[in-house]
Structure formats: C-alpha cells, structure tokens
C-alpha cells in the first residue's frame, strides 16, 4: 500500500475513532491546513475536538481516493451532524516522511436528511 493511501486511511480512522492523540503521528510538525488557515497537528486536534463536541455522532466515510504515493485526493461523505444533515468533502494533501504535510479542502453545505 502506498504512503498516501495509508495516511488517508489513518486520518479518517483516527477521526472516526475519536483519537485526537493520533494527530501527532499523522500530521507533520510543520503541517499546514489551508481550510483552517493554521499550522501544526494541534490545529487539527482542536478542530476535531470541536466537531466531536458539537456533533457527537459525526463520521467521515471515504468514497473515493486517488493517490500517486505522495499526493492524495479524496471525496468523503460526512454523516452524523446533530441536525441529521450530511455533507460532501473534497480534500487534497501531500505526504512526506510518513506524515501529512499540507492539506487543502472544500466541503458542501450540509444537506438535510432525506425522509
């Protein structure tokens, strides 16, 4: 399995498992998040913890993943929002030295649950 695929799967597994401590092993010390406009693993840890606090059942489901080993693009479905809505998220990131170094992302507005 290539490094990019491994890191993507580790990241989503850690998020879904509520494993904030794993951010230190997944994200590089000089990690840069363009969506958060912040750096370092702590910015991800803080963002994850805010999401879990506001949406206790939130989960990211990996739909598509494309990688060349160092660069990764994913499409995910985010479910479990407190209001029952879902969202689509597109992320691209680079992996070097076994860690995610830089991440870009876009997400749709949460969509109301269908009845």
């Amino acid at each position: 399995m290539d490094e990019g695929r491994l890191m993507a799967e580790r990241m989503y597994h850690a998020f879904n498992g509520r494993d904030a401590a794993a951010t230190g092993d997944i994200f590089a010390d000089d990690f840069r998040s363009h969506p958060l406009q912040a750096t370092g693993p702590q910015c991800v840890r803080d963002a994850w913890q805010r999401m879990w606090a506001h949406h206790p059942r939130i989960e990211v489901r990996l739909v598509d993943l494309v990688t060349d080993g160092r660069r990764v693009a994913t499409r995910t479905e985010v479910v479990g929002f407190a209001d029952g809505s879902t969202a689509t998220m597109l992320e691209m990131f680079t992996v070097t030295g076994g860690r995610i170094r830089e991440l870009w992302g876009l997400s749709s507005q949460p969509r109301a649950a269908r009845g």
Side-chain angles (χ1 to χ4, degrees):
M1 180 177 301
D2 72 36
E3 187 174 57
R5 178 175 296 280
L6 177 65
M7 295 314 298
E9 290 176 352
R10 282 185 69 195
M11 177 176 64
Y12 297 128
H13 181 76
F15 180 85
N16 290 340
R18 308 304 192 256
D19 186 0
T23 58
D25 295 327
I26 295 169
F27 299 93
D29 291 340
D30 62 347
F31 169 74
R32 171 131 179 87
S33 170
H34 292 273
L36 297 175
Q37 298 181 352
T39 59
Q42 185 66 43
C43 75
V44 177
R45 189 174 305 124
D46 293 345
W48 286 7
Q49 290 173 330
R50 283 190 305 272
M51 289 295 289
W52 299 332
H54 288 93
H55 309 283
R57 291 183 291 190
I58 197 164
E59 180 180 316
V60 176
R61 297 180 181 163
L62 184 59
V63 178
D64 290 308
L65 185 148
V66 178
T67 178
D68 69 1
R70 183 174 113 37
R71 294 175 299 181
V72 181
T74 63
R75 178 173 61 99
T76 58
E77 182 180 36
V78 185
V79 299
F81 286 101
D83 65 0
S85 64
T86 63
T88 298
M89 187 167 52
L90 302 174
E91 293 183 300
M92 291 186 63
F93 51 92
T94 58
V95 175
T96 55
R99 295 192 181 185
I100 298 173
R101 185 153 317 276
E102 192 166 13
L103 182 140
W104 299 262
L106 297 170
S107 62
S108 67
Q109 294 293 327
R111 294 181 309 274
R114 293 182 184 169

